[in-house]
Amino acid sequence: MLTFDTHLQLALDLVGVFTFALSGGLVAVKKRLDLFGVLVLAGAAALGGGVMRDVLIGALPPVGISDWRLLTSALVAGLVTFVYHPGVERISRFVRVLDAAGLAVFAIGGSLKALGAGMDPLTSVIVGGITAVGGGIVRDVLAGQVPEVLRREMYALPALLGSVLIVTAHHFDVVTPLVIWGCVALVFGMRMMAVVLDVHAPKPLRTGDRP
Amino acid sequence: MLTFDTHLQLALDLVGVFTFALSGGLVAVKKRLDLFGVLVLAGAAALGGGVMRDVLIGALPPVGISDWRLLTSALVAGLVTFVYHPGVERISRFVRVLDAAGLAVFAIGGSLKALGAGMDPLTSVIVGGITAVGGGIVRDVLAGQVPEVLRREMYALPALLGSVLIVTAHHFDVVTPLVIWGCVALVFGMRMMAVVLDVHAPKPLRTGDRP
Amino acid sequence: MLTFDTHLQLALDLVGVFTFALSGGLVAVKKRLDLFGVLVLAGAAALGGGVMRDVLIGALPPVGISDWRLLTSALVAGLVTFVYHPGVERISRFVRVLDAAGLAVFAIGGSLKALGAGMDPLTSVIVGGITAVGGGIVRDVLAGQVPEVLRREMYALPALLGSVLIVTAHHFDVVTPLVIWGCVALVFGMRMMAVVLDVHAPKPLRTGDRP
């Protein structure tokens, strides 16, 4: 039986929305956008992944445009970013930490919501991955930069691994809060380790590189 | 009771589609795209917001891909732009007037359609805003420029204010054609005033700006 | 009666997914993305159009995120591209051939699936066109380049013509495998002829061009 509950889903969504809104707001600050640009980019980054998830699993209207708690969370994070953003020089690093947190929470939360909507395991893994990377993609496309998920080593992989783990846990009926937050921590840890250690996935060989 | 009727919804959609198609076509002309590029960008700008709206509220298939009147309107506007576009130098200003008209009509029409589909007030406001800015976002992302909604002062705000007004009017059961077109005029007026007066929303302080 | 069958739909989807995944992977290679970037861009190009199609006609969850055969096909094509990609200099041309094949298969397959879902003829034509160009648009937007459909002469037109033909064939109840593959060949042939002969659609006149 599914031990997953809606309060936990809301908590995961709120944490993800807040951290991704901060990341979207900071990208907007870096791009020197005005107040409304900051709020719009914060909202798009925060709610984009969840909206994609809900559209894909048919849970309409998406909570990202109907739940005032999520909208308020994104709005507050956007305002916080606008007012208190640290110096532009220190921003890049902090964006990536927040981005990693949002990635982790949305991957696990997205997979759980898909499972709860009756999706099969494979679909639930993919939906988790899309929930995790969707907001960042919207943020980067709107801001005119190539999305993090394409530029960065080890970005989609931790999200997908976390999704596989939670879907497996669901299959064996062991989805407890401890397991959920453990999976979140694992995704976050993997992503941060990639950032800190500057791990690179292999790049394609150039023609000239071949022996 | 809802006094909103489908003829008025169609009228709002047609005006929005036509003006946004002109704006999309003009951006394509500025980018020196060929005939099909102009038609595709006109169609994407004109129908993108409405398609997002219908996907979000579950009104499938979206009217933007199923109603021949909207498709014809977008096609005609695209052809008109291609043949009669004014000199490239005069285009930028005209795009913004058309864009303001589309913004106003889609914000009000989008909120009304969401209300008609049984969405709650908050969702209807957000859906109105997305209908209003969605087509312009698609237009700008496809054309490779940062969306108007992020670059411009006072772009999303008039749309959201108009949506709040019409949703409030619906709550008090006073949605008449006069009220609807009044809200449209208000959004258009606010947006044009921002363009004309060159009103800027505040920008985030740089580190060096702080006293 | 509809002679269209699900095996044929799957075959069309698989061919389209594989060719578009190769095209997405090659764009990623050209952009010097790492392994995961290549796989993500291959998947987005391959599955983007079909996911749009299924969201628009309400066939949820989209097969692009739920059918392991399509996902495996995209993954394998991405890996193939990563390992065996030809020299960067020879890539551009090959991408356009693959792109033409995906365009043809998805246009016909998308229209057929829309018809099968009960969409009317106009909607089915548009859905076919969106299925055909959607993956390429996602690929190009993510990779930071203006989409092929806007840049290239005669890109959307063959797809739409093929969709009109197959929808007409469906209307007259003559949808056989021969007709289907004939339509696919026609779209592919038209697109390749445009590439080879370097056919250009007319461009808008500059102000200075007028006599």
Side-chain angles (χ1 to χ4, degrees):
Chain A
M1 207 219 63
L2 185 59
T3 56
F4 158 75
D5 72 88
T6 52
H7 287 94
L8 200 48
Q9 178 72 48
L10 180 64
L12 291 169
D13 270 357
L14 279 173
V15 173
V17 163
F18 197 81
T19 52
F20 262 128
L22 290 176
S23 86
L26 286 174
V27 168
V29 166
K30 276 178 77 178
K31 297 268 169 182
R32 303 285 307 144
L33 300 177
D34 68 20
L35 175 58
F36 294 107
V38 171
L39 294 181
V40 169
L41 206 57
L47 306 169
V51 167
M52 287 184 197
R53 173 197 63 202
D54 291 349
V55 165
L56 291 172
I57 66 175
L60 299 179
V63 292
I65 63 165
S66 58
D67 190 320
W68 67 269
R69 292 165 297 197
L70 299 180
L71 284 159
T72 305
S73 173
L75 192 69
V76 169
L79 283 172
V80 164
T81 313
F82 185 78
V83 177
Y84 295 109
H85 74 86
V88 177
E89 309 84 81
R90 281 172 290 153
I91 283 178
S92 297
R93 184 167 224 162
F94 195 43
V95 173
R96 296 178 78 177
V97 176
L98 292 171
D99 196 89
L103 187 80
V105 172
F106 273 147
I108 308 305
S111 292
L112 284 172
K113 183 158 186 184
L115 289 167
M119 298 292 131
D120 62 51
L122 176 63
T123 307
S124 300
V125 168
I126 305 291
V127 167
I130 290 172
T131 311
V133 304
I137 287 178
V138 172
R139 174 195 67 206
D140 292 339
V141 166
L142 291 181
Q145 56 197 26
V146 175
E148 192 95 358
V149 68
L150 294 179
R151 279 182 293 143
R152 300 296 177 204
E153 66 291 353
M154 300 294 187
Y155 190 87
L157 190 68
L160 286 173
L161 273 182
S163 295
V164 167
L165 273 184
I166 198 72
V167 168
T168 307
H170 179 265
H171 180 74
F172 290 109
D173 197 12
V174 291
V175 177
T176 63
L178 188 70
V179 167
I180 289 176
W181 292 107
C183 287
V184 168
L186 189 84
V187 175
F188 179 75
M190 279 183 64
R191 174 72 193 122
M192 285 313 298
M193 199 169 297
V195 170
V196 171
L197 299 181
D198 202 20
V199 174
H200 289 284
K203 290 204 174 184
L205 290 170
R206 287 175 195 274
T207 312
D209 295 345
R210 293 176 186 273
Chain B
M1 205 220 65
L2 185 61
T3 58
F4 158 77
D5 70 89
T6 51
H7 286 94
L8 200 48
Q9 179 72 49
L10 181 64
L12 291 169
D13 270 357
L14 279 173
V15 173
V17 163
F18 198 81
T19 53
F20 263 129
L22 290 176
S23 86
L26 286 174
V27 168
V29 166
K30 277 177 76 179
K31 297 268 169 181
R32 303 285 307 143
L33 299 177
D34 68 19
L35 175 57
F36 295 106
V38 171
L39 294 180
V40 169
L41 206 57
L47 305 169
V51 167
M52 287 185 197
R53 173 196 64 203
D54 292 349
V55 166
L56 290 172
I57 66 176
L60 300 179
V63 291
I65 63 164
S66 58
D67 190 318
W68 66 269
R69 293 165 297 197
L70 298 180
L71 284 159
T72 306
S73 174
L75 193 69
V76 169
L79 283 172
V80 164
T81 313
F82 185 79
V83 177
Y84 295 109
H85 73 87
V88 177
E89 307 84 80
R90 282 172 290 154
I91 284 179
S92 298
R93 184 168 223 161
F94 195 42
V95 172
R96 296 177 79 177
V97 177
L98 292 170
D99 196 89
L103 186 80
V105 171
F106 273 147
I108 308 306
S111 291
L112 284 173
K113 182 158 186 183
L115 288 167
M119 299 292 130
D120 62 51
L122 176 63
T123 307
S124 300
V125 168
I126 305 291
V127 167
I130 291 173
T131 312
V133 306
I137 288 178
V138 172
R139 174 196 66 204
D140 292 340
V141 165
L142 290 181
Q145 54 198 27
V146 175
E148 192 94 359
V149 69
L150 293 179
R151 279 181 293 144
R152 300 294 178 206
E153 65 292 353
M154 300 293 186
Y155 190 88
L157 190 68
L160 286 174
L161 273 182
S163 295
V164 167
L165 273 184
I166 198 72
V167 168
T168 307
H170 179 265
H171 180 74
F172 289 110
D173 197 13
V174 292
V175 177
T176 63
L178 187 69
V179 168
I180 289 175
W181 292 108
C183 287
V184 168
L186 189 85
V187 176
F188 179 75
M190 280 183 65
R191 175 70 194 124
M192 284 315 297
M193 199 169 298
V195 171
V196 171
L197 300 182
D198 203 20
V199 175
H200 289 283
K203 289 203 174 184
L205 290 170
R206 286 175 196 274
T207 312
D209 294 345
R210 293 176 188 272
Chain C
M1 206 220 63
L2 185 61
T3 58
F4 158 76
D5 71 89
T6 52
H7 287 94
L8 200 47
Q9 179 72 50
L10 180 65
L12 290 169
D13 270 357
L14 279 173
V15 173
V17 163
F18 198 81
T19 52
F20 263 128
L22 290 176
S23 85
L26 286 174
V27 169
V29 167
K30 276 177 76 180
K31 297 269 170 181
R32 304 285 307 145
L33 300 177
D34 67 19
L35 174 57
F36 295 107
V38 171
L39 294 180
V40 169
L41 206 57
L47 306 168
V51 167
M52 287 185 197
R53 172 197 63 201
D54 292 349
V55 165
L56 291 172
I57 66 176
L60 300 179
V63 291
I65 63 166
S66 60
D67 191 319
W68 66 270
R69 292 165 297 197
L70 298 181
L71 285 158
T72 306
S73 174
L75 192 69
V76 168
L79 283 172
V80 164
T81 313
F82 185 79
V83 177
Y84 295 109
H85 74 86
V88 176
E89 308 85 79
R90 281 172 290 154
I91 283 179
S92 298
R93 184 167 223 161
F94 195 42
V95 172
R96 296 178 78 177
V97 177
L98 292 170
D99 196 89
L103 187 81
V105 171
F106 273 147
I108 308 305
S111 291
L112 284 172
K113 182 157 186 183
L115 289 166
M119 299 292 131
D120 63 50
L122 177 62
T123 308
S124 300
V125 168
I126 305 291
V127 167
I130 291 173
T131 312
V133 305
I137 287 177
V138 172
R139 175 196 65 205
D140 291 340
V141 166
L142 291 181
Q145 55 197 26
V146 175
E148 191 95 359
V149 69
L150 294 179
R151 279 182 292 145
R152 299 295 178 204
E153 66 291 352
M154 301 293 187
Y155 190 87
L157 190 69
L160 286 174
L161 273 181
S163 295
V164 168
L165 273 183
I166 198 72
V167 168
T168 307
H170 179 265
H171 180 74
F172 289 111
D173 197 13
V174 292
V175 177
T176 63
L178 187 69
V179 167
I180 290 175
W181 292 108
C183 287
V184 168
L186 189 84
V187 176
F188 179 75
M190 279 183 65
R191 176 70 195 125
M192 284 314 298
M193 199 169 299
V195 171
V196 171
L197 299 182
D198 203 20
V199 174
H200 289 284
K203 289 204 173 182
L205 290 171
R206 286 176 197 274
T207 313
D209 295 344
R210 293 176 188 273

